[in-house]
Amino acid sequence: MIHVTELLDASVYDAQGNYIGRVRELCLVPTEQTGRIARLVISRGRYQPLVARYDQVASAAPGVVRLNTGELQLDTYHPDESWLTVRKDLLDQQIIDLHGRKVVRVNDLDLVEQPINSHMELFVAKVDVGLGGALRRLFKGVVPPYVIRTLQKGLPTRSIPWEFVDLIEPDPKRRLKLRLPHDKLAQLHPADLADIIEELAPSEREAVIESLPEATAAEALGEVKDELQARILEELEPERAAGILEQMPPDEAANVFADLPADVATQVLEDMESSEADELTELLQFAADTAGGMMTPEVFASVESTTVAQVAGALRGAEVPVDSLDAIYLINNDNALVGAVPLGRLLLADSGAALGSLQAEQLIFADAQAHEKQVIELFDKYNLRSLPVVDAEQKLLGMITVDDIVSRLWQKQT
Amino acid sequence: MAKANVKEWLEVVRAPYPRLRRWRRRAFIYAAVVGPGLITATVNQDAGGIYTYSLAGAQFGYLLLWTVLPTAVALYITQEMAARLGAATGKGLSDLIREEFGFRVTFFLLAALLAVNLGNILAEFAGIAASMQLFGVSKYVTVPAAALLIWFVVLRGSHRTVERIFLVGCVFYLSYVVSAVLAEPDWYDAAYYTVRPTVEWNTSYLLLVVGLIGSTIAPWQFFYLQAGVVERNVPKARYWETRADVFAGTVSCAVIVASIIIACAASLHHAGVTNIADAAAAAHALRPLAGEYASLLFAVGLLMASLLAASIVPLSTAYVVCEGLGVEASLNRPFREAPFFYSLYTALIVVGAGLILLPRTPLIRIMVFSQVVNGFLLPVVLVFMLKLINRKDLMGEWRNSAAYNLIAWGTAALMIVLTLTLTYLALRGVPGLPVG
């Protein structure tokens, strides 16, 4: 194993042992193969720098790189945006540690050598974020490499395998050229993603959100602390922001949306699908600290005469996730709330039973204008998991679920 | 309709509803923007600063008031750049320096910052001890109590609470303004000498000019301010709010400096008391001349100033060092997730307070050392900031304009010369000049 700091500024010799120059930069070409050191940029003082390809390297040791060709076979160096450079793009920059689920700063890279035919390929094995790497950076060029190697022996190593590293490229144009994979990032838990997003600078946040599928981005955004949510959407393209808002639960979306500046809000609303936009604007009519502002308009409602079998059939055909389903609300022909059937009763009932016969003895609901405090009191008093919300004419508008209550209480506390 | 595809017997009911305005959290966000700039500029008036201003007033009356304006300009120019760096990049200053100038430079810079800030912390605890001694309380009681209080409040309070405490602390600086009024100064003279620079060609006058302007900016301010701006996440389009905050801080700083000079000029200088040993001595000397209340307010101001700076500097130092080294730093995480951060923060307070209590601490020598390191650190930080803020790939349209650059480089050059002069004087051991 060899460290990148030991290779940078190393002397380069050709096949005959003649000195060519010094290693100025190591480059990866992610579109060819991830992790391979594909190019070595060799500086020669005032002459134009040269580039050695990976198959022109014969051996690499601390401070010394030997090539298997002559100087004349090397190309001259022209900067290429699709190359990932070690010194500029990796060392000292922030990366996402997918395993530890946090943002860390790169101190050094650990390379492994793989002899292939007549050349030696170098692959990035690990990213060093610990004291060892820091020590090498500090003493490089001042203390001989073997002394550094002895010094770092006793130190605890902290490194991340290359496959668990996600690189953040804030520049959108360069992002396209590099085509870095982000599939593993999207598999992180939304709450972890949110923590990562909170730690990054705006341009990097944008890079991370851009790399996620819309649904994942929406979930992650929902977990980001409130005052940052609108800020993040503001930074995105309106179209992308609209897409993410559509994927969020309507009550959460309304909360974020209410914090957007007026001009951005209008723009985003125009880019949203009309049905989603309508839903959002209607939710926004309620103050955030009332039942109306807390509720989600997505509820399952039916009339008393519907049978259990019909409900089950309808639920199977529903495109909306039924994970949060807790009760079926009963309404009359005027859409007024008349009862509720807890999910448990539905499960145990005969398939032919009518919903009206299964309803809970007591119907508890909140007026859309009821204050947050009253809502929380209801949840506490009746041990609720969900609570229907109605308007002044008893018409069903939506429901509040217990997870909203928990997060509100938690936010108040912290 | 969210559930258009659900069969008709299971439908989502939506009813039109009268329009109500959703209460917005905006107002709160606006209010919160008044923050880091004001705190940074105000906390700048720490024990050392207050002593310099008192001395200026006591020795030369209103004559040195003209230094307030150039000081304010230098403060505004440099702090605005730190704020802009934070607003445009969303990154802290040590982060930026590490990303652009590499690990080794950052390491030495942080080591220097640590040394300078430790000197600052020491001075703050000395200020706490001195001001409480005016009330007859022994330093062996006040310093440990203050250290514990600071440590506890900052670690236990949430970020918002702590910042609110800091902001309220800033209000106590108004006591200097009241002190100045109570001292019944000649306002006409005060106004006149504020706008009319007078130069006297004697050593102690020139020394004070160097001290007054040269100690205006300290490296920790840039790191603290920039971190504060980043923490706020104010979007670039609303950068004017941050700028307003920095401006408000500068104005309040200028008012406080002027008040202290005026208070001491109207009382001490007027009565011929020109030699005071430290800021607490100034408060003490005010009593027979400007009255009980003026003296009391002066002492309270000194105490609050020292307390505030003693809470902010260790915290900011621990943050910046961890950030630059890439070590976990957060008050929101438990000890086991950020052990280095918590240890460093605690160590800074313990060492700072402990050295004050030890009987034979060579305080002067530590202060001189701190000033010497500052003489190296401040120029480097200023030059790095100017380089960073002119980087197109980093700042885009937020770079300095050519005119602004001229003023900024000029200010930086002036501050560097003054800082180096202060360092030279500290090394020579010139008496009567505050260090740090």
Side-chain angles (χ1 to χ4, degrees):
Chain A
M1 191 184 67
I2 187 162
H3 305 291
V4 143
T5 35
E6 296 171 330
L7 280 188
L8 287 171
D9 300 318
S11 310
V12 184
Y13 300 93
D14 69 6
Q16 276 72 47
N18 299 320
Y19 176 78
I20 302 176
R22 291 190 173 276
V23 177
R24 187 170 88 186
E25 185 64 282
L26 301 169
C27 307
L28 287 79
V29 184
T31 43
E32 281 177 11
Q33 188 171 2
T34 59
R36 180 173 64 193
I37 301 291
R39 306 283 191 278
L40 271 75
V41 180
I42 305 163
S43 66
R44 302 178 295 163
R46 48 208 168 82
Y47 301 103
Q48 231 193 328
L50 298 174
V51 179
R53 262 194 336 269
Y54 59 93
D55 55 2
Q56 292 172 320
V57 177
S59 74
V64 183
V65 173
R66 290 183 195 285
L67 304 181
N68 56 18
T69 55
E71 192 173 338
L72 291 173
Q73 271 71 53
L74 302 177
D75 292 331
T76 50
Y77 170 64
H78 300 285
D80 189 327
E81 288 241 294
S82 65
W83 294 2
L84 197 65
T85 55
V86 165
R87 197 170 253 175
K88 208 165 143 280
D89 295 324
L90 284 167
L91 289 184
D92 293 319
Q93 306 302 315
Q94 287 186 315
I95 55 156
I96 298 173
D97 168 7
L98 294 170
H99 198 68
R101 291 156 304 186
K102 60 184 176 203
V103 182
V104 289
R105 219 169 258 289
V106 180
N107 284 342
D108 202 351
L109 301 178
D110 297 349
L111 306 178
V112 286
E113 298 109 322
Q114 255 177 40
I116 296 172
N117 301 330
S118 64
H119 67 271
M120 174 76 78
E121 289 194 8
L122 294 166
F123 285 88
V124 180
K126 284 178 197 154
V127 170
D128 191 326
V129 295
L131 273 174
L135 207 70
R136 283 192 294 276
R137 298 288 300 286
L138 199 59
F139 290 129
K140 187 192 163 189
V142 187
V143 176
Y146 66 91
V147 178
I148 301 178
R149 283 212 169 191
T150 338
L151 272 177
Q152 74 188 45
K153 242 171 217 158
L155 294 175
T157 49
R158 254 186 66 202
S159 51
I160 306 154
W162 182 246
E163 61 266 32
F164 289 119
V165 167
D166 190 277
L167 301 173
I168 315 159
E169 173 51 55
D171 180 6
K173 278 188 215 127
R174 180 118 194 270
R175 205 148 58 213
L176 283 177
K177 286 191 186 146
L178 284 174
R179 278 196 280 152
L180 300 165
H182 294 293
D183 41 326
K184 283 205 184 93
L185 184 67
Q187 284 163 19
L188 289 188
H189 191 279
D192 288 326
L193 278 172
D195 282 347
I196 289 170
I197 289 168
E198 283 176 7
E199 246 180 272
L200 295 172
S203 57
E204 298 163 346
R205 281 200 298 252
E206 201 189 312
V208 167
I209 299 227
E210 287 291 342
S211 70
L212 297 172
E214 253 167 25
T216 319
E219 275 184 275
L221 192 66
E223 301 285 338
V224 168
K225 57 183 175 191
D226 283 4
E227 62 262 37
L228 208 59
Q229 291 178 333
R231 199 54 35 78
I232 292 174
L233 282 187
E234 239 179 291
E235 288 155 9
L236 298 174
E237 295 286 314
E239 233 173 282
R240 177 82 180 163
I244 290 174
L245 272 179
E246 281 171 16
Q247 296 284 334
M248 288 176 84
D251 49 337
E252 266 178 33
N255 276 335
V256 184
F257 191 82
D259 282 342
L260 287 177
D263 50 333
V264 181
T266 338
Q267 184 84 53
V268 168
L269 214 53
E270 272 172 23
D271 280 324
M272 281 177 81
E273 269 178 53
S274 63
S275 64
E276 307 271 354
D278 287 349
E279 198 172 77
L280 202 58
T281 39
E282 272 177 52
L283 268 184
L284 284 169
Q285 295 155 13
F286 301 102
D289 56 352
T290 63
M294 299 165 82
M295 73 183 186
T296 166
E298 296 178 341
V299 289
F300 290 93
S302 186
V303 290
E304 288 183 319
S305 58
T306 316
T307 65
V308 173
Q310 283 170 314
V311 169
L315 285 176
R316 268 180 220 114
E319 208 176 69
V320 192
V322 289
D323 294 1
S324 57
L325 180 62
D326 179 56
I328 306 275
Y329 296 115
L330 300 178
I331 48 176
N332 64 15
N333 290 332
D334 296 327
N335 285 343
L337 178 72
V338 292
V341 180
L343 196 63
R345 295 194 183 194
L346 210 62
L347 260 174
L348 299 176
D350 290 337
S351 56
L355 288 184
S357 66
L358 297 171
Q359 58 182 294
E361 287 70 31
Q362 217 171 5
L363 176 63
I364 298 149
F365 57 88
D367 188 271
Q369 305 294 349
H371 192 265
E372 178 183 52
K373 252 193 188 154
Q374 295 167 287
V375 173
I376 294 173
E377 266 171 32
L378 282 177
F379 266 86
D380 180 44
K381 187 173 175 191
Y382 296 104
N383 300 321
L384 301 175
R385 271 160 299 151
S386 62
L387 176 70
V389 177
V390 298
D391 67 4
E393 285 139 28
Q394 189 71 14
K395 276 185 189 148
L396 181 61
L397 295 176
M399 70 165 177
I400 302 168
T401 47
V402 73
D403 53 306
D404 298 326
I405 302 291
V406 172
S407 57
R408 258 174 210 246
L409 286 174
W410 178 245
Q411 259 169 21
K412 277 208 173 111
Q413 211 197 343
T414 47
Chain B
M1 285 287 182
K3 311 256 167 349
N5 56 332
V6 178
K7 308 237 164 59
E8 69 258 32
W9 54 75
L10 208 62
E11 58 178 317
V12 178
V13 192
R14 311 298 312 281
Y17 217 80
R19 276 209 171 256
L20 281 163
R21 280 201 76 87
R22 176 170 276 229
W23 182 65
R24 294 196 163 201
R25 275 167 287 183
R26 296 245 137 201
F28 177 71
I29 295 170
Y30 274 119
V33 164
V34 175
L38 194 65
I39 294 177
T40 315
T42 319
V43 173
N44 188 28
Q45 320 313 314
D46 59 1
I50 292 166
Y51 174 53
T52 317
Y53 313 136
S54 311
L55 200 63
Q59 292 200 335
F60 296 99
Y62 306 113
L63 283 193
L64 278 163
L65 271 174
W66 66 267
T67 56
V68 173
L69 285 181
T71 301
V73 172
L75 189 66
Y76 178 77
I77 295 282
T78 48
Q79 299 222 325
E80 193 272 337
M81 286 196 294
R84 185 145 42 95
L85 272 173
T89 62
K91 288 180 181 175
L93 188 52
S94 56
D95 269 337
L96 280 181
I97 291 178
R98 167 116 190 238
E99 282 175 16
E100 305 304 325
F101 300 105
F103 181 81
R104 199 180 298 176
V105 169
T106 313
F107 182 86
F108 287 114
L109 204 73
L110 293 179
L113 188 73
L114 202 60
V116 173
N117 287 2
L118 190 62
N120 276 333
I121 296 166
L122 214 60
E124 307 318 339
F125 277 109
I128 294 172
S131 60
M132 284 306 281
Q133 261 159 7
L134 285 177
F135 298 107
V137 189
S138 156
K139 68 174 180 180
Y140 293 101
V141 178
T142 49
V143 170
L148 254 177
L149 178 80
I150 289 165
W151 187 81
F152 190 78
V153 166
V154 172
L155 285 194
R156 279 306 153 114
S158 73
H159 180 80
R160 276 270 148 77
T161 326
V162 171
E163 200 150 273
R164 260 176 231 156
I165 293 176
F166 287 173
L167 274 175
V168 171
C170 289
V171 174
F172 278 89
Y173 283 83
L174 284 175
S175 64
Y176 288 115
V177 182
V178 182
S179 283
V181 174
L182 287 177
E184 293 174 359
D186 181 339
W187 290 111
Y188 174 79
D189 268 11
Y192 177 75
Y193 286 109
T194 305
V195 289
R196 186 183 180 283
T198 14
V199 178
E200 284 193 7
W201 294 104
N202 65 64
T203 327
S204 52
Y205 187 89
L206 294 177
L207 276 182
L208 271 171
V209 172
V210 173
L212 283 170
I213 307 178
S215 58
T216 311
I217 52 176
W220 70 263
Q221 295 170 354
F222 305 128
F223 291 95
Y224 178 79
L225 176 62
Q226 192 167 332
V229 171
V230 170
E231 182 79 26
R232 307 252 145 187
N233 277 300
V234 180
K236 288 184 200 171
R238 296 217 314 268
Y239 174 64
W240 62 269
E241 291 171 16
T242 308
R243 190 178 274 159
D245 174 34
V246 172
F247 186 76
T250 311
V251 170
S252 90
C253 172
V255 169
I256 294 162
V257 175
S259 298
I260 297 173
I261 297 180
I262 290 171
C264 290
S267 52
L268 305 182
H269 182 72
H270 196 68
V273 184
T274 56
N275 216 353
I276 42 173
D278 59 24
H284 189 70
L286 273 175
R287 185 171 307 177
L289 299 167
E292 184 77 15
Y293 287 112
S295 165
L296 188 73
L297 283 170
F298 205 90
V300 168
L302 176 62
L303 174 67
M304 289 314 292
S306 308
L307 262 178
L308 260 185
S311 352
I312 287 179
V313 179
L315 184 65
S316 152
T317 312
Y319 257 118
V320 167
V321 169
C322 289
E323 195 184 71
L325 295 182
V327 184
E328 198 71 59
S330 171
L331 281 176
N332 300 325
R333 289 177 196 274
F335 179 83
R336 68 191 149 76
E337 280 181 36
F340 184 71
F341 170 71
Y342 283 107
S343 310
L344 182 59
Y345 170 70
T346 311
L348 282 169
I349 291 184
V350 169
V351 172
L355 283 179
I356 295 294
L357 295 181
L358 285 180
R360 270 197 304 265
T361 306
L363 276 184
I364 301 289
R365 225 179 284 168
I366 295 176
M367 293 309 207
V368 169
F369 173 73
S370 157
Q371 174 62 42
V372 171
V373 181
N374 188 47
F376 288 106
L377 181 63
L378 189 72
V380 175
V381 172
L382 276 176
V383 169
F384 277 2
M385 278 174 57
L386 277 159
K387 289 201 144 200
L388 286 170
I389 207 156
N390 281 306
R391 285 273 303 269
K392 190 168 183 232
D393 54 340
L394 215 56
M395 302 293 292
E397 54 185 314
W398 294 90
R399 273 172 302 162
N400 274 359
S401 65
Y404 202 101
N405 250 338
L406 200 70
I407 304 173
W409 277 104
T411 309
L414 177 71
M415 295 318 291
I416 290 169
V417 169
L418 291 176
T419 307
L420 292 177
T421 313
L422 277 177
T423 306
Y424 172 73
L425 294 173
L427 274 174
R428 285 276 307 278
V430 174
L433 192 79
V435 271

